[in-house]
Each structure stands twice: as C-alpha cells, then as structure tokens.
Amino acid sequence: MLTTYFDEYARDYEYYKGGAWCYEDGCLYRGLISLHQSSGDDRWFDHLQRLVDGQIRPDGRLVGYQIEEFNIDNILPGRALLYLHEQTGEQSYLDAAMPLARQLRHHPLTKSQVYWHKLRYPHQIWLDGLYMALPFKVELSKSLNDKAMEEEAINQFKTALELTCDTQSGLYRHGYDESRIQLWADPDTGKSSAHWGRAIGWLSMAFVDIIENLDEGEHKDELLSRFEELASRLTELHTKDDRWLQVLDKPDLPGNYPESSATAMFSYALQKGARLGLSASFARAGRDALVSLISKELHRDESGRLKLHHICCVAGLGPFKGLYRDGSDEYYLTEAINPDDIKGVGPLMMAHAERQRAEKDQQASQPASEIVASASSI
C-alpha cells in the first residue's frame, strides 16, 4: 500500500511553488533519498532525478533561487544535489549546489554565530532552520573534504541547542530572538513560549541526520547523548494511540490535536536514533507511531486515492501576510490543516524507509537455520 501511495504521489507531484527552488520540494527529495537508500529500488532515484533536474536551468542555475534573500529554508533541497552527485558522479550537481554554499558563507549570523532564520527575520534562530541548513553543511563538508566547515556546523548546532533549550520541560522552544524585540520573545530569555510539535520534529531530524555523518568521537557522543534526552522526553509525551500533538506538551489544551507531520518526523528520528546507537526501545516507539499514523490518518478519498490527513500547513513566528504570529499555544491551533502536504508525506516516506532498513538488518542477522525453518513452515 505505502509503495503505491508514495510512487503515485511522486509521479503526480507538482512543485510546491511552481518550480521555484524551495524547502517544501526538499522534503519530498529527502523522502525519496531515504526510500532509495533503504530499498535499492531505482524508481525512487528516477523520481528524484527527474524532479531535481526540472529545477536546474540549462545554464546550471537553480530555478527561482536568489541568494540575496538569505532564506535558510532554501538550503534543504541542496542535499538532493549532493546525493545526485554522489550517485552519478556528475559534477554539474555539485556545481549547482555551490550557490547554496556561498549563501552560507555570507548568511547573516547572530552574535553567538548561528545563522539568522531569514533576512526578513533578523537576529532570530528557529528550530526549522537548524534542519534546513546544518545537515547540508555537514554533508557538503564531506563532499569537499572540509573539516573546518563540519566543525563550524557542529558548533552552530550546539550553540542553538543551548539557546532554545527549555530545561524545565526537557524540550526546545520554536524560536529565539537575541534582540528581544519580537513580541513573541520572552524579554529575559529571548525564547518563544510554546512547544510546537513540528518545530521539535525538524530539530529531531537535524539531530539524527547530523549524527549519521559524524566520525566516532566527542562530537558524536555528545549529540547522541543530547538526542537521547530529547527522545526519552518524547516517548513520555505521545498520545495513547502513539502519536504526538500539535502543541506537544498540552494534552488538555482545547482544540489540540494529533498532528501528522510531527508524528512522522518523530517516528523517523526515533527509529534512526536507535540505528545510530540508542536503545532499541526508541525504535519500537518510532515503529508504533508509524503504524498508528498509517491506520489513523492514511485514508482514501472519494476518488479512491490515498491521502495523509491532519497535516499543519505552516506555522511560524512574527509578521506574515498581515498577521502577527505570537507563538502562543493557542496560535498554533489556528493554522490551516491540509491533507497530503509534503511536510507530512516526506517524513512519512523517511519513517517507512527506516522501518524497511530495520527489517532488512534483522533478516540479514537471522541465522540461516532459522530462515530455513521459517520457510519450511509456510
């Protein structure tokens, strides 16, 4: 069922912003990469290459990309360029990623040396942006054999963790404003007030994707330890049916609901965290979440097409389209909910891919005698 759903989704996918380079398309690309890595099925690679090639102009420039916007979101789909370069050996993909590398060299920084979320959101760090930029930076450092770049990315990530951590809850706040100007920012700490599920989902995925690319040593050990703390807290906060809420730690908040993109992100991150060295209990929690998400939210519409439901379309902080997003618990419940939004479907692909990898690993480690016995009993 899932293979058909993902295949049809990718086959019929329309670029999120009409073809302009954007993070939403990057969410699909991450899902397709994960499926290709876990299954070896070239259909996922073919979808990826077709879609990415459609966003590279004949002169090698990325469609709609403008470096002067200094939008950290635009970095995420660059990871697909690095993967295509790795898989094909074609220099054109690495060349296409270089404007993104230049953006990061010149992107505005907070005084603590972490990227601003965007030029139009000055002095602010959002959890979303950590996922958008830093795994790409670590992967690019490997492509270019640039250890200094990797070290810089790790230090930025660690600093951002300190600035957004809420020690009382064991969670992380969506945003931090070093200027303390924004109305959503606490005047003493600079942090926003709520724990939005998907923001912490972005962070969780950043954790595991960065950790995966690090050599054994102090940095990897420290980040694994910090993610283990977050993962433990997440397993305490899931709903009775193994999902997570839009406002993560407020089950009694009127109107709060199990949100599908956050659930998929946590499912992916918990399973991958276990693969990278954490307790197998986290993998079980991640798989349980995946099973629940599929059974509760993947339904056929009137045409018979499967769709994933209860995906928050977008949420943020500060001014946007004439409104001011104040970062309160209640604010996050006002945002639109859309079926089949790629910010839910992409992470669902990734969570499913992790389950596939685990099943393959289990089969590979199963003694031959057990395989024979199992086959003979069918």
Side-chain angles (χ1 to χ4, degrees):
M1 177 180 74
L2 282 181
T3 297
T4 300
Y5 170 60
F6 294 147
D7 193 27
E8 291 179 348
Y9 189 97
R11 182 197 66 196
D12 299 336
Y13 184 74
E14 297 182 4
Y15 294 118
Y16 204 91
K17 294 177 179 173
W21 193 251
C22 65
Y23 85 91
E24 291 91 347
D25 296 338
C27 292
L28 175 59
Y29 301 160
R30 289 302 307 155
L32 293 172
I33 289 168
S34 295
L35 290 171
H36 183 240
Q37 290 174 322
S38 67
S39 70
D41 188 337
D42 284 340
R43 82 176 79 188
W44 311 120
F45 184 84
D46 292 343
H47 283 312
L48 176 71
Q49 189 169 39
R50 169 180 57 83
L51 289 164
V52 173
D53 284 354
Q55 293 187 299
I56 303 175
R57 293 170 28 169
D59 62 2
R61 296 168 61 188
L62 302 173
V63 173
Y65 173 73
Q66 296 179 319
I67 191 171
E68 62 272 16
E69 290 181 352
F70 289 105
N71 182 343
I72 209 74
D73 291 343
N74 288 334
I75 303 300
L76 174 62
R79 296 176 68 187
L81 296 171
L82 300 180
Y83 187 73
L84 288 168
H85 172 253
E86 172 194 303
Q87 294 294 306
T88 67
E90 292 183 20
Q91 182 65 29
S92 59
Y93 289 120
L94 188 58
D95 291 344
M98 287 303 100
L100 305 176
R102 285 197 296 275
Q103 177 182 327
L104 293 185
R105 282 201 299 272
H106 300 286
H107 199 96
L109 296 164
T110 64
K111 293 177 182 177
S112 54
Q113 299 300 296
V114 181
Y115 293 127
W116 289 8
H117 188 60
K118 298 179 185 179
L119 188 63
R120 62 190 178 95
Y121 296 132
H123 311 291
Q124 299 168 40
I125 300 168
W126 295 12
L127 298 184
D128 326 14
L130 304 181
Y131 178 69
M132 301 301 165
L134 297 182
F136 169 85
K137 190 167 182 172
V138 171
E139 290 172 2
L140 180 64
S141 74
K142 289 187 165 304
S143 296
L144 302 178
N145 194 26
D146 188 337
K147 291 297 290 184
M149 181 185 292
E150 178 185 276
E151 190 77 12
E152 187 177 271
I154 295 168
N155 288 336
Q156 285 183 310
F157 190 60
K158 289 181 179 180
T159 299
L161 293 176
E162 294 300 326
L163 293 172
T164 57
C165 183
D166 175 37
T167 54
Q168 185 172 1
S169 67
L171 298 170
Y172 293 81
R173 300 292 174 83
H174 185 181
Y176 165 80
D177 174 20
E178 74 170 358
S179 70
R180 313 299 200 266
I181 290 174
Q182 292 299 317
L183 298 179
W184 54 257
D186 182 281
D188 295 321
T189 67
K191 300 171 188 175
S192 59
S193 60
H195 296 117
W196 178 36
R198 188 158 77 220
I200 300 174
W202 293 124
L203 176 65
S204 298
M205 295 198 300
F207 260 115
V208 294
D209 286 4
I210 290 172
I211 290 167
E212 181 180 37
N213 283 286
L214 299 184
D215 294 332
E216 297 299 326
E218 182 179 345
H219 286 318
K220 188 170 187 175
D221 291 345
E222 180 181 346
L223 291 185
L224 268 172
S225 178
R226 291 203 68 149
F227 181 60
E228 183 175 29
E229 292 174 359
L230 175 58
S232 296
R233 185 71 180 110
L234 291 173
T235 58
E236 295 172 352
L237 289 171
H238 64 70
T239 63
K240 291 181 179 178
D241 63 6
D242 299 308
R243 292 181 288 165
W244 283 272
L245 298 171
Q246 168 76 339
V247 182
L248 203 55
D249 56 342
K250 296 293 176 64
D252 298 325
L253 180 67
N256 206 0
Y257 62 94
E259 200 278 324
S260 294
S261 68
T263 297
M265 290 175 177
F266 293 140
S267 173
Y268 164 73
L270 290 171
Q271 291 182 82
K272 188 168 183 176
R275 174 162 65 84
L276 296 174
L278 299 187
S279 167
S281 65
F282 294 124
R284 287 193 293 274
R287 289 194 299 271
D288 288 346
L290 178 60
V291 170
S292 180
L293 182 59
I294 292 168
S295 66
K296 303 289 185 185
E297 299 294 357
L298 195 61
H299 305 305
R300 298 189 185 279
D301 62 16
E302 59 278 2
S303 71
R305 188 76 176 256
L306 282 170
K307 288 191 174 181
L308 182 67
H309 293 268
H310 281 103
I311 305 168
C312 174
C313 180
V314 68
L317 297 164
F320 183 69
K321 293 185 177 180
L323 299 174
Y324 191 88
R325 302 169 296 182
D326 67 3
S328 64
D329 293 334
E330 292 75 15
Y331 152 69
Y332 289 102
L333 304 182
T334 67
E335 289 289 4
I337 301 170
N338 290 345
D340 257 8
D341 189 286
I342 189 53
K343 295 181 286 292
V345 178
L348 180 64
M349 291 177 172
M350 296 156 68
H352 174 63
E354 281 299 321
R355 180 172 63 177
Q356 278 189 323
R357 291 179 79 138
E359 290 171 350
K360 278 190 172 183
D361 290 345
Q362 184 176 19
Q363 290 173 0
S365 64
Q366 188 177 4
S369 58
E370 291 184 15
I371 297 174
V372 171
S374 177
S376 63
S377 66
I378 295 175

